[in-house]
Amino acid sequence: MKITPVYAQVRTHCPSFSNRVVVGTDMSSLDTADASQTPAAHVVSLADIASRSTTQNATSSTIRDRFEVALLLDASNPQQALDQLHDLRAELWRALVGFKPGAEYNPIQYDGGELVSLNATRLLYRLRFFAEFQLGRNLPGQPAETWHERELDGLPSLTGVTVRVDAIDPADPNLKKPGPDGRLELTFSGELKQ
């Protein structure tokens, strides 16, 4: 997923960060950040997980795009930092849970969080989120999303059908076993108009 809509949503709807929202996490810079640079949110793409295709003759898979928001807090007063974490976590939920990061995505869902580190000066807590979309189009008029769809789009349109019928019955009495005799009993054609 594009991280920019998530970044913009956090920056716009989480006033507690006072524009201290960045994309990416540099662990060395987190160790040297001073108290005036907290609380801060670091938005990072994590991974995507694909389900197996739900169809046999096409591709239709659910893709789960995962990302996290890492919160950096001043922990010189651990009790106050943990209380602040509780409030910031709720603020992030209000900003992200239910938000659609793109037209093709389902709304974002919360996937859990965990304490990464807590020392005398810094608290780092990570919250994981995900949003899902379908890989493989729903309608023929939509653009191809897979190689198979692209290949099918390159085929010529079906313009007509010719059917030739060699009936099993009546069987040819000169043959030892019943079955088609090789003579066509019926032929018909039809044209398709778009």
Side-chain angles (χ1 to χ4, degrees), residues 8-168:
Q9 186 75 1
V10 172
R11 192 172 167 104
T12 304
H13 297 283
C14 294
S16 297
F17 296 117
S18 300
N19 295 327
R20 289 182 299 273
V21 180
V22 295
V23 174
T25 305
D26 179 9
M27 295 308 263
S28 62
S29 70
L30 296 179
D31 292 336
T32 60
D34 63 28
S36 68
Q37 297 172 322
T38 61
H42 298 259
V43 182
V44 182
S45 292
L46 289 179
D48 60 62
I49 301 168
S51 68
R52 289 177 114 16
S53 183
T54 56
T55 59
Q56 292 181 356
N57 61 349
T59 299
S60 180
S61 300
T62 300
I63 307 295
R64 176 177 285 193
D65 275 342
R66 298 176 60 218
F67 68 94
E68 75 176 29
V69 179
L71 302 180
L72 178 64
L73 307 176
D74 177 13
S76 54
N77 180 338
Q79 183 177 353
Q80 185 180 7
L82 290 170
D83 286 346
Q84 185 182 25
L85 171 64
H86 180 80
D87 295 338
L88 291 172
R89 187 177 62 162
E91 192 171 313
L92 274 170
W93 290 337
R94 283 190 299 272
L96 292 176
V97 176
F99 171 68
K100 290 179 75 171
E104 68 276 14
Y105 283 92
N106 291 338
I108 291 174
Q109 296 182 47
Y110 181 59
D111 198 26
E114 62 191 358
L115 183 65
V116 176
S117 68
L118 175 61
N119 59 32
T121 58
R122 297 284 170 269
L123 181 149
L124 184 61
Y125 192 87
R126 135 171 92 206
L127 296 100
R128 290 180 307 279
F129 299 88
F130 69 88
E132 296 177 333
F133 71 96
Q134 176 184 301
L135 176 62
R137 62 183 169 204
N138 288 321
L139 302 170
Q142 294 175 332
E145 295 181 0
T146 65
W147 175 254
H148 183 249
E149 291 171 351
R150 194 174 189 187
E151 196 172 37
L152 291 176
D153 289 350
L155 294 174
S157 297
L158 181 64
T159 58
V161 177
T162 300
V163 178
R164 295 178 179 92
V165 179
D166 181 2
I168 291 176

